[in-house]
Amino acid sequence: MSTQPISDVVISRLPLYLRTLEFLEKEGRQVTSSQELATRLGFSSAQIRKDLSYFGEFGKQGTGYAIPFLQSKLREILNIDHLWEVGVIGAGDLGRALVHYQGFAAQGFRIVAIFDDAPKKIGMAVGALTVQSMGEVARVVRESKLQIMILAVPAQVAQAVANQLVELGVRAILNYAPITLSVPAAVRVYYLDPVVGLQSMAYYLK
Amino acid sequence: MSTQPISDVVISRLPLYLRTLEFLEKEGRQVTSSQELATRLGFSSAQIRKDLSYFGEFGKQGTGYAIPFLQSKLREILNIDHLWEVGVIGAGDLGRALVHYQGFAAQGFRIVAIFDDAPKKIGMAVGALTVQSMGEVARVVRESKLQIMILAVPAQVAQAVANQLVELGVRAILNYAPITLSVPAAVRVYYLDPVVGLQSMAYYLK
DNA sequence: TAGATTGTTAATCGATTAACAATC
DNA sequence: TAGATTGTTAATCGATTAACAATC
């Protein structure tokens, strides 16, 4: 264990470890090993042990890792041992699909608001939520102390919306818009762009 | 320039270069520099020059890069100088949102089919397409020679569907299901999981 | 005990960047 | 010409892995 800042690539693998543990747990398993996790994820077992070692000692020699224990440790480390409330900007097909998606709550996140600026969308029901106008973003982010927002707006407006979110103190943006956002270093952005994925895979389809 | 295989991290940045060039082009710009691209993307200019140098010499000393020329070179390199036909498995909210998304065609991809196994979804219109049954996947993939498929199905069935796609000769899978797929090394998988993004960002929200 | 697996070190591997000659 | 910027080399930085003592 160490106190130096831990690399981003290490952090980005922790959710995959957690997800694999959840999979094994659902199969009724109690214990796993770095080797088993490695095989399932396509990593080396040394990498998994090294990644975990940045945070503590969670295994037993000769035995491996107790699945529920390691899960709970990873949730603590990732800061998802409680539910984060999240807002969605953009009530297009994607924004609405995100609100309908049932996979967030079990993983530490709950979507509590959705916003759009199109008059015909404002007031529309999406699941248990109602689309609010963009004018409400500031109030809702402040009142609910939202720190994480999902951007599901067209590329042309994404930077302007991001600026507004940064201004309001939002600290993490899950960005579906196909644009690299310019934000202060303290604000995290995670990019999800299907086109980037398709284009980089196309390279290999010679 | 060299003929050794080029690292995946290099390839994954090329779509970002292309996207930035398109942005500058829309602003009416004719020429850019590695420094300008670097600033917009948060990379170093040396990295951009090095990445491009794996594929050729596209710039002019003292001047920089002609935007339309570099765009067309990147499209060639990425193998997107023609339109790829793509199929979507899963006609849930996400699958339908993907079919409706207008951003693919200009980037080299066209969704030509959508499949689901729920009887109530089969036959449903989604944009210009009609949801087909899973029984049709084999026929359509073969007839249209689809090499790229998008997986927008629940995690529990994703591996089984992936197996079927691999069997049919599909070579690239854009995977929205929250599971690491096990596929032969020759098959590319690109993962898009919002939960992984949210969880890794939550780490920093101490 | 014998076998298995951890946590960690040191070596290796690979990616990034600083620097600069070449040249537009 | 003077200034700017490329393409490339070599150095640096950082991430991965092999190996193994410790120990369950």
Side-chain angles (χ1 to χ4, degrees), chain B residues 21-61:
Chain B
L21 292 169
E22 282 161 0
F23 179 86
L24 292 169
E25 189 200 31
K26 272 185 208 118
E27 290 196 325
R29 301 280 306 282
Q30 298 294 325
V31 172
T32 186
S33 65
S34 58
Q35 182 52 61
E36 182 176 44
L37 293 172
T39 302
R40 292 201 164 271
L41 288 165
F43 300 150
S44 76
S45 66
Q47 177 160 87
I48 289 173
R49 294 196 301 279
K50 184 121 196 17
D51 284 354
L52 296 176
S53 77
Y54 290 115
F55 304 97
E57 307 193 355
F58 306 123
K60 262 210 193 59
Q61 283 106 322

Side-chain angles (χ1 to χ4, degrees), chain B residues 85-89 112-115 132-150 161-162 164-173:
Chain B
E85 298 194 326
V86 177
V88 173
I89 314 270
V112 297
I114 179 167
F115 304 91
Q132 297 177 272
S133 78
M134 288 301 291
E136 305 276 22
V137 172
R139 184 182 61 74
V140 174
V141 167
R142 286 206 190 94
E143 284 182 3
S144 298
K145 299 190 172 58
L146 303 182
Q147 300 196 55
I148 306 174
M149 296 291 285
I150 301 180
V161 174
Q164 187 189 354
L165 297 178
V166 167
E167 193 76 20
L168 291 167
V170 167
R171 297 170 64 201
I173 296 174

Side-chain angles (χ1 to χ4, degrees), chain A residues 8 19 79 193 202 204-205, chain B residues 8 19 79 107 193 202 204-205:
Chain A
D8 214 54
R19 176 211 268 172
N79 214 357
D193 183 351
Y204 297 96
L205 303 182
Chain B
D8 214 53
R19 178 212 267 171
N79 214 357
Q107 302 307 325
D193 184 351
Y204 297 95
L205 304 182

Side-chain angles (χ1 to χ4, degrees), chain A residues 79-150:
Chain A
N79 214 357
I80 51 171
D81 45 359
H82 66 278
L83 214 53
W84 288 96
E85 298 194 327
V86 177
V88 174
I89 313 271
D93 289 304
L94 178 61
R96 299 198 309 273
L98 288 165
V99 172
H100 288 131
Y101 182 53
Q102 295 304 305
F104 288 125
Q107 302 307 326
F109 304 91
R110 187 157 62 102
I111 295 179
V112 298
I114 179 167
F115 304 90
D116 203 294
D117 63 2
K120 63 167 74 158
K121 284 184 186 151
I122 297 164
M124 180 197 265
V126 180
L129 304 178
T130 300
V131 178
Q132 296 177 273
S133 78
M134 288 300 291
E136 306 276 20
V137 171
R139 185 183 59 76
V140 173
V141 166
R142 286 206 188 95
E143 284 181 3
S144 299
K145 296 189 174 60
L146 303 183
Q147 300 196 55
I148 306 174
M149 296 292 284
I150 301 180

Side-chain angles (χ1 to χ4, degrees), chain A residues 175-198:
Chain A
N175 179 34
Y176 280 92
I179 175 180
T180 298
L181 297 175
S182 166
V183 298
V187 177
R188 315 290 312 181
V189 181
Y190 190 94
Y191 294 92
L192 289 167
D193 183 351
V195 166
V196 168
L198 292 170

